[in-house]
């Protein structure tokens, strides 16, 4: 279990989101990948790996949602990322004698395709173009890290709007043709607060502000959201210093 001594300190796990994994591979490469790295299912709440365990595989999310978590010294869980289909996590497998830094847990019923070093080498022999596509995806990590660091300094309301907008884009369903979506999410306010590096109270306040603006409706994980409004709010630079 990864332990954070200071509740505001953040372990920085590695992951890649929105990789376009399937689109970047040929049909032959996709078939080779599925044969060499078949899906492994996990029920909701199932542990994929724990911090401190040997890092044996990189995981590609096939379906469902996965959360990466650390824990405070008091045992409080801190969600560091929520991942969905075609996202990568667990890159430490590339180095011998490395260990995972965080816990990976199925947030919903989920499945991943684990890929070990040996399987990557096997794919290199069977499907060399797969390795080229894989390296192209890995190369996007630098830009993804820059984007994440810039976002982490935004005001609280902008961060919350960004998290909700991201959930809507990835897991929501359109509700008409005017930019509204339905979102059912298992994330609670304290878990969103962990993602936003904020307090639960400030996140609850931010949700209230988004409702007042007319771009978010609902509660307790069942929402109706106006995606263009959330996207605009995520880019806002109003001073929320008092809510940090």
């Amino acid at each position: 279990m990864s332990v954070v001594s200071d509740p505001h300190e953040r372990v920085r796990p590695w992951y890649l989101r929105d990789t376009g994994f399937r689109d970047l591979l040929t049909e032959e490469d996709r078939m080779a990948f599925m044969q060499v790295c078949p899906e492994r299912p996990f029920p909701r709440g199932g542990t994929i790996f724990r911090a401190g365990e040997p890092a044996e595989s990189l995981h590609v999310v096939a379906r469902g949602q996965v959360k990466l978590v650390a824990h405070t010294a008091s045992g409080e869980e801190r969600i560091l990322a929520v991942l969905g289909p075609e996202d990568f996590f667990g890159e430490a497998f590339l180095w011998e004698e490395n260990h995972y830094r965080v816990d990976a847990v199925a947030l919903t019923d989920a499945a991943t395709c684990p890929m070990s070093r040996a399987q990557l080498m096997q794919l290199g022999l069977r499907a060399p173009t797969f390795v080229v596509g894989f390296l192209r995806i890995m190369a996007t990590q630098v830009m993804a890290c820059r984007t994440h660091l810039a976002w982490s300094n935004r005001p609280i309301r902008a961060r919350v709007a960004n998290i909700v907008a991201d959930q809507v884009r990835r897991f929501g369903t359109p509700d008409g043709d005017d930019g509204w979506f339905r979102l059912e999410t298992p994330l609670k306010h304290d878990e969103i607060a962990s993602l936003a590096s904020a307090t639960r109270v400030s996140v609850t306040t931010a949700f209230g502000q988004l409702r007042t603006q007319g771009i978010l409706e609902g509660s307790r994980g069942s929402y109706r959201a106006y995606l263009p409004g959330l996207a605009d709010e995520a880019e806002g630079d109003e001073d929320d210093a008092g809510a940090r």
Side-chain angles (χ1 to χ4, degrees):
M1 180 174 70
S2 179
V3 177
V4 178
S5 57
D6 181 343
H8 297 291
E9 179 186 352
R10 289 176 66 84
V11 175
R12 298 291 183 182
W14 179 95
Y15 55 88
L16 282 181
R17 295 171 43 171
D18 301 320
T19 63
F21 181 65
R22 295 185 184 279
D23 292 337
L24 287 174
L25 301 178
T26 65
E27 182 63 28
E28 292 78 8
D29 286 348
R30 286 194 293 269
M31 291 179 62
F33 174 74
M34 293 305 299
Q35 290 171 359
V36 175
C37 307
E39 288 187 9
R40 181 179 175 188
F42 296 91
R44 178 175 179 173
T47 299
I48 299 169
F49 57 71
R50 293 193 181 279
E53 292 180 350
E56 298 175 343
S57 299
L58 176 144
H59 290 257
V60 179
V61 182
R63 63 177 182 273
Q65 299 178 43
V66 173
K67 61 181 179 179
L68 304 182
V69 303
H71 297 79
T72 66
S74 62
E76 177 187 359
E77 180 181 275
R78 291 186 60 82
I79 297 182
L80 306 176
V82 175
L83 308 176
E86 300 190 24
D87 293 348
F88 292 5
F89 63 97
E91 98 298 351
F93 88 114
L94 291 171
W95 292 273
E96 296 281 357
E97 300 180 1
N98 213 333
H99 296 80
Y100 295 120
R101 300 184 62 210
V102 298
D103 298 352
V105 179
L107 184 60
T108 65
D109 289 343
T112 74
C113 296
M115 181 171 63
S116 67
R117 288 184 294 273
Q119 287 169 316
L120 178 60
M121 294 174 65
Q122 184 179 353
L123 282 166
L125 295 174
R126 291 185 52 177
T129 54
F130 169 87
V131 177
V132 175
F134 177 75
L135 292 175
R136 286 177 59 192
I137 292 170
M138 296 288 282
T140 66
Q141 179 185 3
V142 173
M143 184 60 68
C145 288
R146 289 176 179 173
T147 301
H148 179 77
L149 288 172
W151 169 80
S152 66
N153 292 322
R154 305 296 290 173
I156 292 295
R157 192 164 72 201
R159 279 182 260 167
V160 171
N162 187 71
I163 290 169
V164 177
D166 179 69
Q167 289 282 303
V168 168
R169 290 189 192 99
R170 295 162 63 80
F171 309 119
T173 56
D175 187 22
D177 299 324
D178 55 357
W180 285 92
F181 286 75
R182 293 282 180 183
L183 175 66
E184 302 294 328
T185 175
L187 292 176
K188 301 175 183 178
H189 279 200
D190 55 345
E191 294 171 322
I192 294 174
S194 178
L195 283 169
S197 294
T199 66
R200 186 185 188 282
V201 171
S202 63
V203 167
T204 298
T205 298
F207 266 80
Q209 293 168 336
L210 297 176
R211 291 191 187 94
T212 299
Q213 290 176 251
I215 57 178
L216 185 67
E217 302 172 358
S219 62
R220 298 182 182 276
S222 182
Y223 300 102
R224 185 169 182 262
Y226 182 57
L227 184 55
L230 288 170
D232 288 344
E233 187 63 35
E235 295 299 322
D237 56 3
E238 71 281 357
D239 185 7
D240 280 351
R244 291 184 188 275

